[in-house]
Amino acid sequence: MSVFMDLNVSFSAERSRMTKLIEAAAHLGFSTVAINYVFEPMAKKKLEIPMPTPVKELIDQLPVVQGRSRPIRVLNRLTVVMSDSSHFRPNATEYRGFDLLAVQPTTEKLFHAACMLYDVDIICISVTEKLPFFFKRAPVNGAMDRGVVFEVSYSAAIRDSTRRRYTIANAVSLMESCKGKNVILSSAAEKPLELRGPYDITNLGLLFGLSEGDAKEAVSSTCRSVVLHAESRKSASGIIYTMKTCSESSSQQEALAADLGEAPAAKRAKPHLTQ
Amino acid sequence: MFGDLERTPRTLLVCERSSFLDEKNRLSSQVEQLHFNYKVSMLLPECSSAPSHLEAVFNSINSFYLIRKLPIHELLDKHFLETAVHQGRVSGLSYGTRIDEDNCVALMPNGHLSLSLDKDSFEVLGVEGKPSRFNQRTNSRFVSVDLTDSSMAPGGRGYQRLVTGLKSRLQLKTDFLLSHPPGCGASLHAFLSRYDWSEHKPEIRSHTLTDLSSPLLTSDLQSCDPRRLLEWLGAVDAHVSCENSSSSFLSSLVCPEPRTRLSQALSVSVCGLLRPQDVQQLIQQIRCYLEQPRLENWVSLTVHGFVDSPVSWGGEEHGVLRGGDNFYSLLMFHDHTYQLHLATGAHDTCPP
């Protein structure tokens, strides 16, 4: 049992649109959303990784989630679209501002590298074109062992009928390799009308070949494990993390006596995890 | 791969046919077992306004309290236990919490406190519980504590462990709906005054429908299929038209055959936190109403339980997979026979 999360809501520079998107997500019942900044480095010109806008500038007051009594939680996420292995620089300092890190590989070699080596949380499966490569069991299992999840986004299917075919085809072939585990379903919504409620996305998961329990997990517990994985990735193996204090003095260190991976969240009573 | 698509979500429907005059009828025990009722909706055919004795019952249904941000350890307060729980009549439910997302709490009239917790909260609380029957993979836990048991007497070890758990380790605070038997309200005021509370009366809505097509319902064995009947009853309650006209694409629901035409019907619904005793009173009054000869000699009464309650019939665990309905529908006839349909969704045990 876990709260419903939508970990891919596209960022746009218009404040009013972001406000409407977050309000629509809270109204539909999502307790956590992640604003996605897409970064596509190109060979010709040098692009800079965007800095995440603080949440206070996007929306004045976080709306309360429908049916519950807590406000929605907003995270920041970066997606790096990779067409070359130099596009993703591990341990770059710019990545620290983001809560979640995702890559979208476009070739088989990059997919293999992303599954086995790269220090990311989410691997996006492209839905706008026919997959140029097939999923092999070995890298998919390797990613599952490391705690990396695969993401299928559905709003392209809402916008266009050709993309609807690609979304379903790519998702079905992914489910065949990964057997329905370690998958998250999210919108890549640019407008509030492209968001759908969590139970509707559970039904969509059935179309992709997930079982009922797996489809519900794809919107709730697997998303929770991604967020926890991202937290442990930011800290040193989940044991020590640094936190900048509000004052301008140097950062404080807080040592946590906890186990690796997901266990720290269970043993310590951090308030935001029980949301 | 696509086997799941061919199957509709699992639901359970138990149908029973009996008579009020039969000594062995289990209706009162079945009604008593659903402790938390959210909505009672009635359909009286060929009736334009509610009879006066039914109105009197509506007005006599007790109000319930909504307490904002109640720390759950207060339910274990010694004074509250003595005045309310051990007398055995106060019951309550957490409000604004979803069963498949949050921690939910239910206090039943027999003194059982049930908590449905997610993995993190359960591990922090440190009390014995069993894995949820329905959410095993996501590790949610169902904790059920009998507050009237001797091990949970104030001062006992079990009691201390639970109280320290709820006070210091897991500070569980939810909005709480509390219902009390008549006459007990004043003693609770001292307990409630420490928090932000408000009193609410159940909301009563009535609607007169004209020119309604309804199935021909008789008390003999050839009545219509239960699923189609329940679908029609739901459509009437939701004000969905069952005409299936060719110009409207909103609904293709139809009234089951054989059908008849009613010139008018009264649909009344009562929403709030209702106790089984209130439902029993309504059933008695409707039986009195049916004793006089009428144009149509049936009345239907549907009672819905809370979707987000951690417990359903008899204190058994309740969950939501894609829908959490747990309700029963009673179709009463003037010759004291009745048909009872109990329905639940996927994550529920079989109704009694």
Side-chain angles (χ1 to χ4, degrees), chain A residues 1-4 28-29 31 65-70 172 175-176 181 199 202-203 206-214 216-217 220-221 224 262 265-269 273-275, chain B residues 1-2 4-5 7-10 69 95-103 116-121 123-124 135 137-141 169-170 173 175 308 320-323 346-347:
Chain A
M1 163 208 313
S2 168
V3 294
F4 292 122
L28 285 170
S31 305
V65 180
Q66 190 210 74
R68 301 178 66 212
S69 36
R70 288 227 165 94
V172 166
M175 302 311 167
E176 279 171 1
K181 305 264 178 288
Y199 293 105
T202 308
N203 285 335
L206 291 183
L207 261 187
F208 292 161
L210 293 167
S211 71
E212 277 191 14
D214 282 338
K216 197 161 179 196
E217 277 184 15
S220 56
S221 352
R224 171 185 169 267
E262 290 200 9
K267 299 284 196 298
R268 62 180 190 223
L273 284 167
T274 49
Q275 267 178 346
Chain B
M1 159 93 57
F2 291 105
D4 266 1
L5 276 179
R7 287 194 288 269
T8 47
R10 190 200 126 196
K69 300 227 185 318
Y95 176 71
T97 51
R98 293 234 154 124
I99 185 73
D100 52 352
E101 290 183 59
D102 296 312
N103 303 320
S116 167
L117 301 171
D118 60 33
K119 180 176 175 224
D120 298 330
S121 312
E123 289 180 2
V124 168
N135 273 324
R137 272 191 302 189
T138 51
N139 293 324
S140 61
R141 295 280 192 269
R169 291 194 291 261
L170 175 76
K173 267 194 204 175
D175 295 345
D308 291 311
V320 170
L321 178 60
R322 279 190 271 167
H347 276 182

Side-chain angles (χ1 to χ4, degrees), chain A residues 113-120 141-148 182 229:
Chain A
C115 289
M116 309 295 273
L117 299 170
Y118 290 163
D119 196 14
V120 290
N141 288 341
M144 278 167 46
D145 289 335
R146 285 175 54 213
V148 178
N182 277 51
H229 181 268

Side-chain angles (χ1 to χ4, degrees), chain A:
Chain A
M1 163 208 313
S2 168
V3 294
F4 292 122
M5 305 192 190
D6 187 354
L7 293 180
N8 189 343
V9 166
S10 295
F11 172 73
S12 83
E14 282 174 48
R15 190 170 187 258
S16 61
R17 193 192 266 203
M18 291 309 301
T19 312
K20 287 210 185 82
L21 260 176
I22 297 176
E23 281 172 3
H27 180 71
L28 285 170
F30 288 106
S31 305
T32 306
V33 284
I35 312 257
N36 187 18
Y37 296 80
V38 179
F39 173 61
E40 192 164 351
M42 281 179 271
K44 290 176 209 147
K45 37 184 187 157
K46 193 154 168 22
L47 281 173
E48 297 224 333
I49 297 179
M51 284 294 293
T53 327
V55 178
K56 287 204 180 47
E57 288 179 27
L58 291 173
I59 187 167
D60 286 324
Q61 193 181 14
L62 291 170
V64 172
V65 180
Q66 190 210 74
R68 301 178 66 212
S69 36
R70 288 227 165 94
I72 195 169
R73 186 176 159 212
V74 179
L75 302 171
N76 286 317
R77 164 188 154 163
L78 176 70
T79 303
V80 181
V81 180
M82 288 170 52
S83 37
D84 187 66
S85 52
S86 63
H87 289 166
F88 177 75
R89 287 176 288 128
N91 302 324
T93 45
E94 294 94 339
Y95 299 160
R96 296 245 184 95
F98 296 95
D99 299 303
L100 294 164
L101 196 53
V103 284
Q104 186 171 334
T106 45
T107 68
E108 176 144 22
K109 228 175 97 178
L110 288 171
F111 178 74
H112 189 98
C115 289
M116 309 295 273
L117 299 170
Y118 290 163
D119 196 14
V120 290
D121 307 310
I122 303 173
I123 296 180
C124 304
I125 305 297
S126 131
V127 292
T128 50
E129 54 181 6
K130 191 157 168 8
L131 268 182
F133 55 89
F134 290 110
F135 293 111
K136 301 240 169 53
R137 287 279 162 87
V140 167
N141 288 341
M144 278 167 46
D145 289 335
R146 285 175 54 213
V148 178
V149 301
F150 299 98
E151 180 200 44
V152 179
S153 40
Y154 62 80
S155 71
I158 296 175
R159 286 179 218 137
D160 190 34
S161 65
T162 335
R163 293 197 180 146
R164 203 172 298 157
R165 289 207 303 270
Y166 291 142
T167 310
I168 299 182
N170 295 351
V172 166
S173 71
L174 170 69
M175 302 311 167
E176 279 171 1
S177 332
C178 73
K179 305 230 185 20
K181 305 264 178 288
N182 277 51
V183 177
I184 63 171
L185 297 170
S186 59
S187 70
E190 291 165 11
K191 294 189 287 234
L193 271 179
E194 289 167 8
L195 279 170
R196 293 291 180 268
Y199 293 105
D200 289 330
I201 307 177
T202 308
N203 285 335
L204 186 65
L206 291 183
L207 261 187
F208 292 161
L210 293 167
S211 71
E212 277 191 14
D214 282 338
K216 197 161 179 196
E217 277 184 15
V219 201
S220 56
S221 352
T222 319
C223 296
R224 171 185 169 267
S225 59
V226 170
V227 174
L228 290 175
H229 181 268
E231 276 199 21
S232 69
R233 187 178 47 81
K234 276 171 125 176
S235 61
S237 303
I239 298 182
I240 301 180
Y241 72 94
T242 58
M243 194 172 71
K244 243 199 166 83
T245 50
C246 305
S247 60
E248 64 278 356
S249 59
S250 56
S251 41
Q252 271 180 9
Q253 266 199 345
E254 261 188 60
L256 303 161
D259 301 320
L260 291 174
E262 290 200 9
K267 299 284 196 298
R268 62 180 190 223
K270 262 189 119 183
H272 70 259
L273 284 167
T274 49
Q275 267 178 346

